Amino acid sequence: MNIATPHDELWALIQDTPTCVLTSISPEGDLHAQPLTVCNHDIDADGTLWFFVDHSDEVAHDVLDDPQVSASFAHPHRPEFVCVSGLARIVREPQRKRELWTSGRTGRCMGSPD
């Protein structure tokens, strides 16, 4: 396997494990964890992972208050575990949603593009 960048290495580790546990921080400081599916068909150049969440979902409210999140991946059939952290943001871009929804992961993305 030829790994060109850290983002490529991350994608190589998680591409077969599209579901992760995303942990966000509530306004009260509690940790909220929920399973989400990565909707990328490949990792973005800047390392962004995309998820569909409803704007009324708990994670959306958490991110608006505190963008710090963690995404944990565990491969179901191999002893591979990955945890990444970063800043999340709510993006409402209809064209990007359509692109992600029609990507190679269509059947595995949770949520709706509308």
Side-chain angles (χ1 to χ4, degrees), residues 7 10 40 43-50 84:
H7 294 148
L10 171 63
N40 303 49
I43 199 159
D44 286 4
D46 64 357
T48 299
L49 298 174
W50 291 87
V84 293

Side-chain angles (χ1 to χ4, degrees), residues 36-37 39 51-54 101 106 108-114:
L36 291 176
T37 303
C39 294
F51 304 91
F52 285 122
V53 297
D54 189 280
W101 192 254
T106 301
R108 298 193 288 202
C109 285
M110 297 175 68
S112 169
D114 297 323

Side-chain angles (χ1 to χ4, degrees), residues 5-113:
T5 69
H7 294 148
D8 293 334
E9 183 176 7
L10 171 63
W11 190 253
L13 290 168
I14 69 171
Q15 67 184 342
D16 294 330
T17 313
T19 302
C20 73
V21 174
L22 187 81
T23 304
S24 57
I25 304 169
S26 77
E28 297 77 33
D30 299 323
L31 297 177
H32 290 156
Q34 68 179 16
L36 291 176
T37 303
V38 176
C39 294
N40 303 49
H41 63 277
D42 199 355
I43 199 159
D44 286 4
D46 64 357
T48 299
L49 298 174
W50 291 87
F51 304 91
F52 285 122
V53 297
D54 189 280
H55 71 278
S56 63
D57 195 59
E58 183 176 65
V59 70
H61 291 282
D62 290 352
V63 165
L64 289 172
D65 188 65
D66 185 340
Q68 187 67 42
V69 296
S70 174
S72 300
F73 299 82
H75 195 282
H77 305 293
R78 295 191 305 256
E80 294 177 354
F81 306 91
V82 176
C83 185
V84 293
S85 62
L87 300 177
R89 63 188 171 106
I90 304 299
V91 177
R92 291 188 177 121
E93 296 177 9
Q95 178 59 36
R96 185 65 175 146
K97 289 192 313 189
R98 281 189 291 278
E99 291 169 6
L100 290 169
W101 192 254
T102 58
S103 75
R105 292 180 176 243
T106 301
R108 298 193 288 202
C109 285
M110 297 175 68
S112 169

